[in-house]
Amino acid sequence: MELSFSPDELAFRAEVRAFIRDNLPEDIRAFAHRSGYYKADQVRRWQKILDSRGWAAGHWPVEFGGPGWTAVQRYIFNEELLRAPAPEPLSFNINMVGPVIYTFGTEEQKSRFLPKIRSLDWWFCQGFSEPGAGSDLAALKTSAVTDGDSYVINGQKIWTSTAQHADWMFALVRTDPKAPKKQMGISFLLIDMNTPGIDVRPIVTIDGEHHTNEVFFDNVRVPAENLIGEENKGWDYAKFLLGSERTGIARVGLSKGRMDRALELARVAPVYGGARLIEDPGFRQRALKLQVELKALEISALRIIDRQRRNPSDKPDAASSILKLRGAETQQASAELLADAAGPSAAPFFDFREMFSDNEVPQGVARADGAMRVHFAARPATIYGGASEVQKNIIAKAILGFKDKP
Amino acid sequence: MELSFSPDELAFRAEVRAFIRDNLPEDIRAFAHRSGYYKADQVRRWQKILDSRGWAAGHWPVEFGGPGWTAVQRYIFNEELLRAPAPEPLSFNINMVGPVIYTFGTEEQKSRFLPKIRSLDWWFCQGFSEPGAGSDLAALKTSAVTDGDSYVINGQKIWTSTAQHADWMFALVRTDPKAPKKQMGISFLLIDMNTPGIDVRPIVTIDGEHHTNEVFFDNVRVPAENLIGEENKGWDYAKFLLGSERTGIARVGLSKGRMDRALELARVAPVYGGARLIEDPGFRQRALKLQVELKALEISALRIIDRQRRNPSDKPDAASSILKLRGAETQQASAELLADAAGPSAAPFFDFREMFSDNEVPQGVARADGAMRVHFAARPATIYGGASEVQKNIIAKAILGFKDKP
Amino acid sequence: MNFEYSDEQALLSDAVTRFVSDRYGLAGVRSAAETKDGVTAANWQGMADMGLLGMPFPEQAGGFGGGPVETQIVMEAFGRGHVLDPWVGGVLLPGALLSALDPARLTELVPDVATGDLVLALAHEEDGARYVTAQVVTNARRCGNGWRLSGRKVNVLAGAAANRLFVTARTAGAEADEDGISVFEVPVDAPGLSRTAYRQYDGQTVAALTLDDVSLPDGALVGDEGEAFSALELALDTATAAICAEAVGATETMLHATVDYLKTRQQFGGPLSRFQVLQHRCAEMYVAVEQARSMALYAAVSLGLEDRDERRRAISAAKVQCAESARFAGQNAVQMHGGIGVTDELLVGHLFRRTTMIERQFGDAGHHLARLDRLGGLDNQMGE
Amino acid sequence: MNFEYSDEQALLSDAVTRFVSDRYGLAGVRSAAETKDGVTAANWQGMADMGLLGMPFPEQAGGFGGGPVETQIVMEAFGRGHVLDPWVGGVLLPGALLSALDPARLTELVPDVATGDLVLALAHEEDGARYVTAQVVTNARRCGNGWRLSGRKVNVLAGAAANRLFVTARTAGAEADEDGISVFEVPVDAPGLSRTAYRQYDGQTVAALTLDDVSLPDGALVGDEGEAFSALELALDTATAAICAEAVGATETMLHATVDYLKTRQQFGGPLSRFQVLQHRCAEMYVAVEQARSMALYAAVSLGLEDRDERRRAISAAKVQCAESARFAGQNAVQMHGGIGVTDELLVGHLFRRTTMIERQFGDAGHHLARLDRLGGLDNQMGE
């Protein structure tokens, strides 16, 4: 029993910290600190830097360019990136489509896609959700009909984050509409986003930004060689993808980074009587309670990693639902603390899209311009990737053995 | 629009306060202050004092001995009792069986029962709940079979609070087991607790006390003249009873009284550094938040009373579910604040039943002996009289119009 | 005790509700986005026609004599329909300040405010002052027969549209002293004054002002020199009570929108409304809305109190409750809408941005709990 | 990083779990209620036979060399089965104090403690001291070659059963000074000492002591005069870590009991378990238990830290989490059981009384959050 990191693990953490300090471009660091946000080109540049260090894909097998890290090293690496903050390797590429390809893809697919996925030369987006399906993913309707050596795709995807930047999409499409169960008859396709017939339309979210999209397919032709695995087995690959590498989902480092920033602001923000916000009893109580929750969550994450190390299993570990559930809540709580620390300085809307070029905010009006954006952007954390309600259903069924369908 | 009490209402409040101050026996005041609790004989004595002042039954019609108060006066009266604290008129008598009798009873029943119900010469308990029925009251099984001029009762009641003190029980019994719906075939009977065949067995609750009981009926003969209203219509009378006089259910005064006591203790309890608990930031924040909640709840209660005054209706007002729900929560929160203010002084178990006479607590060990008892005794507040979950169902259905059965 | 609206109040409520439902909602969001200065001309004219722009002023000053309860009625309706036009910033807040500091000056202005020809604004907040009302660094010094002002003001409500500006400045004392704060009327075309409009996250357009040695005549001083603090605090408390009512209206709309959405939205083979956790969450939102409504009323009524500390306690308690209710109801409305709740396609997302700002406007829950704490809590029960 | 139990630890866990499930639960509540002094003789002997009474002491002292992780294993099992016999009060807490103050004296005692012949107790808490460790009014003054003690002690764990008492008393300083606190060994039959046993709400039997000019020889002083505070704090931190683990076990049992109850209990024509709000509440209880388990581990491991402030931060953070988890899980277990949950007929009601006491024992969440605050928060992130 040893809760602390070993000397080797601590050395690794120091190495990661030093690498970030020395190699993260200053403009990325400054922009993130100001906005809690990254631009697409910043994500690409940083991923190339990581790739040249061999750190682009922490949990990939060495033969495909992984660094051969332990689960603890992977955890440390992610947490350090989040807290720095520095961009994480794009999840669609590294955590999702990459593992699907090296597990189920052909040799040709592996050699064609994996290096470019790792280096982010090819940016992937995820085409799973559809309007009307909500959390019921398998209710998808987008159709793929075989025509010679191609599939012809028609339909619509929604909540397609970063589609506006993406070179490729990995998508679930319906290849057999007559299959007896809705989970059958679905295939997993890679779609070049430059193919004619694809229309990407922005969805603006409550943080005022354009992260996500609707994507329309009108007779889009996809070569059959872009099918992953077997036709009509796509649901299996999707389940594999959604269950993999969930120990980082607590994202404790992200919350810690927000807490760091909130305390930094609170040390200068005035309150009544000439004191600073950091001395305010209510603020301190909230910050202290959040520290305790984060510490508990961090240890819970490490406990689950450790258990998985000792009892490896292919099945997703239901206990990691704790990490998603409580992780999302603490991301929100830390974002809220940050917004509260910023106070009125967070009110002005900063348009990182530069869509409204006439909405010019005078220099110096606000010193905490990213705080409100971070607060709004944190709200979906309890919705996407399995909403909190879904995580509780999982715990109730898989861990507590409730059989009644709620 | 006038949120404050009118001069007349304020004068009435002053009159009630003065009456309590001048007439509440000192032993009752001292015992309640020490324990948050009353003994049965104290409840009886105080009720007689109120009755001789004409204040025993605030909302009864004047012809049956009510004082002719407005809804606001009734609210003020109850809140003053709770905050003093002084015993409330026994709910079983005054809020429950009394109104049923003067609304549905015969003239003989009215003249026989109402004066003794008002004066508490006859203490009533409520025989509704049964083992196995839980919140599903209408699933009751205790049977009443006609035999000449009597009913013969067999079965079992549970959660029969104060049955050990009661002279009478008002009970729901099944007179027609073949009725097409379980709500039909139920009758409302008054049962003399001295009748042979009744066995009262104590249930000890987590506060270590004996408030409630199981009551067993073995061929208990009840004269047919003790039937209220029509046979097999008992469910209607029970619904009438449960829906009546719900504006006092927030019991804000009770919570305020607990808060008063908690602050009193906090002014002397030491914390680190030579300060007192009342200066502790965390304690103050909790107390302040609770004050705000109580103020909101009080105004919500007055708003509902005012609306009912302007739009009288026979139907229970679903909005009063707010009062039960939030009222029970604030009763618990104030009890918890009290227990926390008392700290280790609340740990010793004080046995007001004197059942364990060898559990003698040395004088002076604890100065806040009732605090933990109050905390435990407050837990059922969210369970009895319609659990919090049931109140939320009521709001969801009756106010928000959700039709799906959850 | 009586919570009933008078006949006039009931008529006002109906009229404002109709006005708002005709013109605002998502349509109002779009028209507000098209304005440069945050005022939708046609809607502002509509408010003038209904008498809303003169409502809070005494009849002898040419207003309609509405009090805090009328403001509460208007703001609740504005909240329900997400009215972005700056009635609080352009009418109520500066009006309350002038009414306390210099009623005669207000009487002069009221007729043109009531027709919509004049939009007022109070420029008080400074960058980094957070919620400390007395934190005024902008300074005014006497210069011959007049004054010279220098400093910066931010987040000025109605500041982009205003054609009469009232600016707080320090004429004595140190940075956060309550004594020594004065109010000046500054012509919008005064040399040395520049203003920049920008949007806040809730879609309101506000302004930042820079005063670079702006020269003003002696008569620009409003009220007594250095004595503005308590009027300023009263005006801010008045505006706080107003946005408490706005929060009630906004959360009510979010609740109804959520209930409707759950009843309609099909998922896993049935409507979302069949899930008990969602039904219960809506029930809790309903409780939150009603508790906020009670405290918004309490705030409104408290504005008339003689005892200044009693008023401050009531306003702070109300803001704590309304902020908490807005937070709970807003966050859960978004959560239960799922993906669509975090977009700008439904009104609920816009209302959420507004209630999130209301939580913090004129002091967040922490600020007001601290103020309540300093004043010994409600009824001064925790005081000395 | 490694959370795995060693083989010995795994064996210990199995053995204690078996022992507890054989002897405790509701049966243990009844046997504890029959004792006068709070120790069930047969069960205490059983603990001796298993080596639990000597477990936390060094092997060279005749113990079994168990550390904080072993304590955590034992206490979690004790919590699961609601063990009322005073292992913390009679073995762990006074043992930790002696180990820090006077290891030689401990070595003398260990053999008899391990066999169960000796039950120790630390009499420290005073009436009205709340959680202030340095609040010691009981005084000891030198008198010839010895000492004379006067004062009162309350809520002494294992105090009714103990045959070796260790009492804190002030030899210098003012009421709440950290300096000037000393520990004395007081024979249970010392003239002037009286003790009264009574029950606490959780069913534990404790004692109040009155010391009326009790005369002690010079050798009664344990450790250095006036220097006991930091050992006392370490001992209390050790006991705090132990009851954190107990809370984990107790809440885990309450969770399982609730899940089973919901699956079994029929209401409105079906099992309660079909209600989604109840399922989700159980899921939240599960999260609460797991978060508490993580922090109980953190507390255990922190006891070995060199840096005293780091240890204090960790213990306080753990107590805050475990108190909050105990509160949430306990209150909801009772709520979901409904009426039967507030009676003493099911174990859940007894466990709830115990977890409610654990919340407050050795300092409640407010006390420990304040301590964490004084120490600048975790990692001293909020310090100067």
Side-chain angles (χ1 to χ4, degrees), chain A residues 148-197:
Chain A
D149 264 3
S150 298
Y151 291 101
V152 178
I153 318 290
N154 281 286
Q156 182 193 348
K157 296 289 175 183
I158 195 169
W159 314 124
T160 319
S161 293
T162 75
Q164 75 271 36
H165 307 304
D167 308 293
W168 286 84
M169 171 189 281
F170 57 93
L172 293 180
V173 292
R174 190 159 297 284
T175 36
D176 180 4
K178 292 182 187 140
K181 281 185 64 182
K182 63 186 173 184
Q183 286 79 4
M184 301 174 178
I186 292 173
S187 296
F188 193 108
L189 279 188
L190 308 184
I191 304 174
D192 184 334
M193 292 295 281
N194 292 313
T195 321

Coordinates of all heavy atoms in Angstrom, one line a residue, chain A residues 148-197:
Chain A
G148 N -21.2 -0.4 -56.2 CA -19.9 -0.8 -56.7 C -18.9 -0.8 -55.6 O -19.2 -1.5 -54.6
D149 N -17.8 -0.2 -55.8 CA -16.7 -0.2 -54.8 C -16.9 0.9 -53.7 O -16.0 1.2 -52.9 CB -15.4 0.1 -55.5 CG -14.7 -1.3 -55.7 OD1 -15.4 -2.3 -55.4 OD2 -13.6 -1.2 -56.2
S150 N -18.1 1.5 -53.7 CA -18.3 2.6 -52.7 C -19.5 2.3 -51.9 O -20.4 1.5 -52.2 CB -18.5 3.9 -53.5 OG -17.4 4.2 -54.2
Y151 N -19.6 3.1 -50.8 CA -20.9 3.3 -50.1 C -21.4 4.7 -50.4 O -20.6 5.6 -50.6 CB -20.7 3.3 -48.6 CG -20.3 1.9 -48.0 CD1 -19.0 1.6 -47.7 CD2 -21.3 0.9 -47.9 CE1 -18.6 0.3 -47.2 CE2 -20.9 -0.3 -47.4 CZ -19.6 -0.6 -47.1 OH -19.3 -1.8 -46.5
V152 N -22.7 4.8 -50.5 CA -23.3 6.2 -50.7 C -24.0 6.5 -49.5 O -24.9 5.8 -49.0 CB -24.2 6.1 -52.0 CG1 -24.9 7.5 -52.1 CG2 -23.4 5.7 -53.2
I153 N -23.6 7.7 -48.9 CA -24.1 8.1 -47.6 C -25.1 9.2 -47.7 O -24.9 10.2 -48.4 CB -22.9 8.6 -46.7 CG1 -21.7 7.7 -46.9 CG2 -23.4 8.7 -45.3 CD1 -21.8 6.4 -46.3
N154 N -26.2 9.0 -47.0 CA -27.2 10.1 -46.9 C -27.7 10.1 -45.4 O -27.9 9.1 -44.8 CB -28.4 9.8 -47.8 CG -28.1 10.1 -49.2 OD1 -28.1 11.3 -49.6 ND2 -27.8 9.1 -50.0
G155 N -27.9 11.4 -45.0 CA -28.4 11.5 -43.6 C -27.7 12.7 -42.9 O -27.2 13.6 -43.6
Q156 N -27.8 12.7 -41.6 CA -27.3 13.9 -40.8 C -26.8 13.5 -39.5 O -27.3 12.6 -38.8 CB -28.5 14.8 -40.6 CG -28.1 16.1 -39.9 CD -29.3 16.9 -39.3 OE1 -30.4 16.6 -39.7 NE2 -29.0 17.8 -38.5
K157 N -25.6 14.1 -39.2 CA -25.1 13.9 -37.8 C -25.2 15.3 -37.1 O -25.3 16.3 -37.7 CB -23.6 13.5 -37.9 CG -23.3 12.2 -38.6 CD -23.8 11.0 -37.7 CE -23.7 9.7 -38.4 NZ -24.2 8.6 -37.4
I158 N -25.1 15.2 -35.8 CA -25.2 16.4 -35.0 C -24.2 16.3 -33.8 O -23.8 15.2 -33.5 CB -26.7 16.7 -34.5 CG1 -26.9 18.1 -34.0 CG2 -27.1 15.7 -33.4 CD1 -28.3 18.5 -33.7
W159 N -23.9 17.5 -33.2 CA -22.9 17.5 -32.1 C -21.6 17.0 -32.6 O -20.9 16.4 -31.8 CB -23.4 16.8 -30.8 CG -24.8 17.0 -30.4 CD1 -25.8 16.1 -30.3 CD2 -25.4 18.3 -30.2 NE1 -27.0 16.7 -29.9 CE2 -26.8 18.0 -29.9 CE3 -25.0 19.6 -30.2 CZ2 -27.7 19.0 -29.6 CZ3 -25.9 20.6 -29.9 CH2 -27.2 20.3 -29.6
T160 N -21.3 17.3 -33.8 CA -20.0 16.9 -34.4 C -18.9 17.9 -34.1 O -18.7 18.9 -34.8 CB -20.1 16.7 -35.9 OG1 -21.4 16.1 -36.1 CG2 -19.0 15.8 -36.4
S161 N -18.3 17.8 -32.9 CA -17.4 18.8 -32.4 C -16.1 18.8 -33.3 O -15.7 17.8 -33.8 CB -16.9 18.4 -31.0 OG -18.0 18.6 -30.1
T162 N -15.7 20.0 -33.6 CA -14.5 20.3 -34.4 C -14.6 19.8 -35.8 O -13.6 19.8 -36.5 CB -13.2 19.7 -33.8 OG1 -13.2 18.3 -34.0 CG2 -13.0 20.0 -32.3
A163 N -15.8 19.5 -36.3 CA -15.9 19.1 -37.7 C -15.4 20.2 -38.6 O -14.9 19.9 -39.7 CB -17.4 18.8 -38.0
Q164 N -15.5 21.5 -38.2 CA -15.0 22.5 -39.1 C -13.5 22.5 -39.3 O -13.0 23.1 -40.2 CB -15.5 23.9 -38.5 CG -14.7 24.4 -37.3 CD -15.3 24.0 -36.0 OE1 -15.8 22.9 -35.9 NE2 -15.3 24.8 -35.0
H165 N -12.8 21.8 -38.4 CA -11.3 21.7 -38.5 C -10.9 20.3 -39.1 O -9.8 20.2 -39.4 CB -10.7 21.8 -37.2 CG -11.0 23.0 -36.4 ND1 -10.9 24.3 -36.9 CD2 -11.6 23.2 -35.2 CE1 -11.3 25.2 -36.0 NE2 -11.8 24.5 -35.0
A166 N -11.9 19.4 -39.2 CA -11.5 18.0 -39.4 C -11.2 17.7 -40.9 O -11.8 18.2 -41.8 CB -12.6 17.1 -38.9
D167 N -10.2 16.8 -41.0 CA -9.9 16.3 -42.4 C -10.7 15.0 -42.6 O -11.0 14.6 -43.7 CB -8.4 15.9 -42.4 CG -7.5 17.1 -42.0 OD1 -7.5 18.1 -42.7 OD2 -6.9 17.1 -40.9
W168 N -11.0 14.3 -41.5 CA -11.7 13.0 -41.6 C -12.7 12.9 -40.6 O -12.7 13.6 -39.5 CB -10.7 11.8 -41.4 CG -9.8 11.6 -42.6 CD1 -8.6 12.2 -42.8 CD2 -10.0 10.6 -43.6 NE1 -8.0 11.7 -44.0 CE2 -8.9 10.8 -44.5 CE3 -11.0 9.7 -43.9 CZ2 -8.7 10.0 -45.6 CZ3 -10.8 8.9 -45.1 CH2 -9.7 9.0 -45.9
M169 N -13.7 12.0 -40.8 CA -14.7 11.7 -39.8 C -14.7 10.2 -39.6 O -14.6 9.5 -40.6 CB -16.1 12.2 -40.2 CG -17.2 11.6 -39.3 SD -18.9 12.0 -39.9 CE -19.0 13.7 -39.5
F170 N -14.8 9.7 -38.4 CA -15.1 8.3 -38.2 C -16.6 8.3 -37.9 O -17.0 9.0 -37.0 CB -14.3 7.5 -37.2 CG -14.2 8.1 -35.8 CD1 -15.1 7.6 -34.9 CD2 -13.3 9.1 -35.5 CE1 -15.1 8.2 -33.6 CE2 -13.3 9.6 -34.2 CZ -14.2 9.1 -33.3
A171 N -17.4 7.5 -38.6 CA -18.8 7.6 -38.5 C -19.5 6.2 -38.3 O -19.0 5.2 -38.8 CB -19.4 8.3 -39.7
L172 N -20.6 6.2 -37.6 CA -21.5 5.0 -37.6 C -22.6 5.3 -38.7 O -23.2 6.3 -38.6 CB -22.1 4.8 -36.2 CG -21.1 4.4 -35.1 CD1 -21.8 4.2 -33.8 CD2 -20.3 3.1 -35.5
V173 N -22.8 4.3 -39.5 CA -23.8 4.4 -40.5 C -24.6 3.1 -40.6 O -24.1 2.1 -40.2 CB -23.2 4.7 -41.9 CG1 -22.5 6.1 -42.0 CG2 -22.2 3.6 -42.3
R174 N -25.8 3.2 -41.1 CA -26.7 2.1 -41.1 C -26.5 1.4 -42.5 O -26.9 2.0 -43.5 CB -28.1 2.5 -40.8 CG -29.0 1.2 -40.6 CD -30.3 1.6 -39.9 NE -30.1 2.0 -38.5 CZ -29.8 1.3 -37.5 NH1 -29.6 -0.1 -37.6 NH2 -29.6 1.8 -36.3
T175 N -26.0 0.2 -42.4 CA -25.8 -0.6 -43.7 C -26.9 -1.6 -43.9 O -27.1 -2.1 -45.0 CB -24.4 -1.2 -43.8 OG1 -24.0 -1.6 -42.4 CG2 -23.4 -0.2 -44.3
D176 N -27.5 -2.0 -42.8 CA -28.6 -3.0 -42.9 C -29.9 -2.5 -42.2 O -30.0 -2.8 -41.0 CB -28.2 -4.4 -42.4 CG -29.3 -5.4 -42.6 OD1 -30.4 -5.0 -43.2 OD2 -29.1 -6.5 -42.1
P177 N -30.7 -1.8 -42.8 CA -31.9 -1.2 -42.1 C -32.9 -2.3 -41.7 O -33.8 -2.0 -40.9 CB -32.5 -0.3 -43.2 CG -32.0 -0.7 -44.5 CD -30.7 -1.4 -44.3
K178 N -32.7 -3.5 -42.2 CA -33.7 -4.6 -41.9 C -33.2 -5.5 -40.7 O -33.9 -6.5 -40.4 CB -34.0 -5.4 -43.1 CG -34.7 -4.6 -44.2 CD -35.0 -5.5 -45.4 CE -35.6 -4.6 -46.5 NZ -35.1 -5.0 -47.8
A179 N -32.1 -5.2 -40.2 CA -31.5 -6.0 -39.1 C -32.5 -6.1 -38.0 O -33.3 -5.1 -37.7 CB -30.2 -5.4 -38.6
P180 N -32.6 -7.3 -37.3 CA -33.6 -7.5 -36.3 C -33.5 -6.6 -35.1 O -34.5 -6.3 -34.4 CB -33.4 -9.0 -35.9 CG -32.1 -9.4 -36.4 CD -31.8 -8.5 -37.6
K181 N -32.3 -6.2 -34.7 CA -32.1 -5.2 -33.6 C -31.4 -4.0 -34.1 O -30.6 -4.1 -35.0 CB -31.2 -5.9 -32.5 CG -32.0 -6.8 -31.6 CD -31.1 -7.3 -30.4 CE -30.7 -6.2 -29.5 NZ -29.8 -6.7 -28.4
K182 N -31.7 -2.9 -33.5 CA -31.1 -1.6 -34.0 C -29.6 -1.6 -33.9 O -28.9 -0.9 -34.6 CB -31.8 -0.4 -33.3 CG -31.6 -0.2 -31.9 CD -32.3 0.9 -31.3 CE -32.2 0.9 -29.7 NZ -33.0 1.9 -29.0
Q183 N -29.1 -2.3 -32.9 CA -27.6 -2.4 -32.7 C -26.9 -3.1 -33.9 O -25.7 -2.9 -34.2 CB -27.2 -3.0 -31.4 CG -27.4 -2.1 -30.2 CD -28.8 -2.1 -29.7 OE1 -29.7 -2.8 -30.3 NE2 -29.2 -1.3 -28.7
M184 N -27.7 -4.0 -34.5 CA -27.1 -4.7 -35.7 C -27.3 -3.8 -36.9 O -28.1 -2.9 -36.9 CB -27.9 -6.0 -35.9 CG -27.8 -7.0 -34.7 SD -28.8 -8.4 -34.9 CE -28.5 -9.3 -33.4
G185 N -26.6 -4.1 -37.9 CA -26.8 -3.4 -39.2 C -26.1 -2.0 -39.2 O -26.4 -1.2 -40.1
I186 N -25.2 -1.8 -38.3 CA -24.5 -0.5 -38.2 C -23.0 -0.8 -38.6 O -22.4 -1.8 -38.2 CB -24.5 0.1 -36.8 CG1 -26.0 0.5 -36.5 CG2 -23.5 1.2 -36.7 CD1 -26.2 1.0 -35.1
S187 N -22.4 0.1 -39.5 CA -21.0 -0.1 -39.9 C -20.2 1.1 -39.5 O -20.8 2.2 -39.2 CB -20.9 -0.4 -41.4 OG -21.6 -1.6 -41.7
F188 N -18.9 0.9 -39.4 CA -18.0 1.9 -38.9 C -17.1 2.3 -40.1 O -16.3 1.6 -40.7 CB -17.1 1.3 -37.8 CG -16.2 2.2 -37.0 CD1 -16.6 2.5 -35.7 CD2 -15.1 2.9 -37.6 CE1 -15.8 3.4 -34.9 CE2 -14.4 3.7 -36.8 CZ -14.7 4.0 -35.5
L189 N -17.3 3.6 -40.6 CA -16.6 4.1 -41.8 C -15.7 5.3 -41.5 O -16.1 6.1 -40.7 CB -17.7 4.6 -42.8 CG -18.4 3.6 -43.7 CD1 -19.3 4.4 -44.7 CD2 -17.4 2.7 -44.4
L190 N -14.7 5.4 -42.3 CA -13.8 6.6 -42.3 C -14.2 7.4 -43.5 O -14.2 6.9 -44.6 CB -12.3 6.2 -42.3 CG -11.9 5.2 -41.3 CD1 -10.4 5.0 -41.3 CD2 -12.3 5.6 -39.8
I191 N -14.5 8.7 -43.3 CA -15.0 9.5 -44.4 C -14.1 10.7 -44.5 O -13.9 11.5 -43.6 CB -16.5 10.0 -44.1 CG1 -17.4 8.7 -43.9 CG2 -17.0 10.8 -45.2 CD1 -18.8 9.1 -43.4
D192 N -13.6 10.9 -45.7 CA -12.8 12.1 -46.0 C -13.7 13.3 -46.0 O -14.7 13.4 -46.8 CB -12.1 11.9 -47.4 CG -11.2 13.1 -47.7 OD1 -11.4 14.2 -47.2 OD2 -10.2 12.8 -48.5
M193 N -13.4 14.3 -45.2 CA -14.3 15.5 -45.1 C -14.3 16.3 -46.3 O -15.2 17.2 -46.5 CB -14.0 16.3 -43.9 CG -14.3 15.6 -42.5 SD -16.0 15.3 -42.2 CE -16.6 16.9 -41.7
N194 N -13.4 16.1 -47.3 CA -13.4 16.9 -48.5 C -14.3 16.3 -49.6 O -14.3 16.8 -50.7 CB -12.0 17.0 -49.0 CG -11.2 17.9 -48.1 OD1 -11.6 19.0 -47.7 ND2 -10.0 17.5 -47.7
T195 N -14.9 15.1 -49.3 CA -15.7 14.5 -50.3 C -16.9 15.4 -50.7 O -17.5 16.0 -49.8 CB -16.2 13.2 -49.8 OG1 -15.2 12.5 -49.0 CG2 -16.7 12.2 -50.9
P196 N -17.3 15.5 -51.9 CA -18.4 16.3 -52.3 C -19.7 15.8 -51.6 O -19.8 14.5 -51.4 CB -18.5 16.1 -53.8 CG -17.1 15.7 -54.2 CD -16.5 15.0 -53.1
G197 N -20.6 16.7 -51.3 CA -21.9 16.3 -50.7 C -21.9 16.4 -49.2 O -23.0 16.2 -48.6

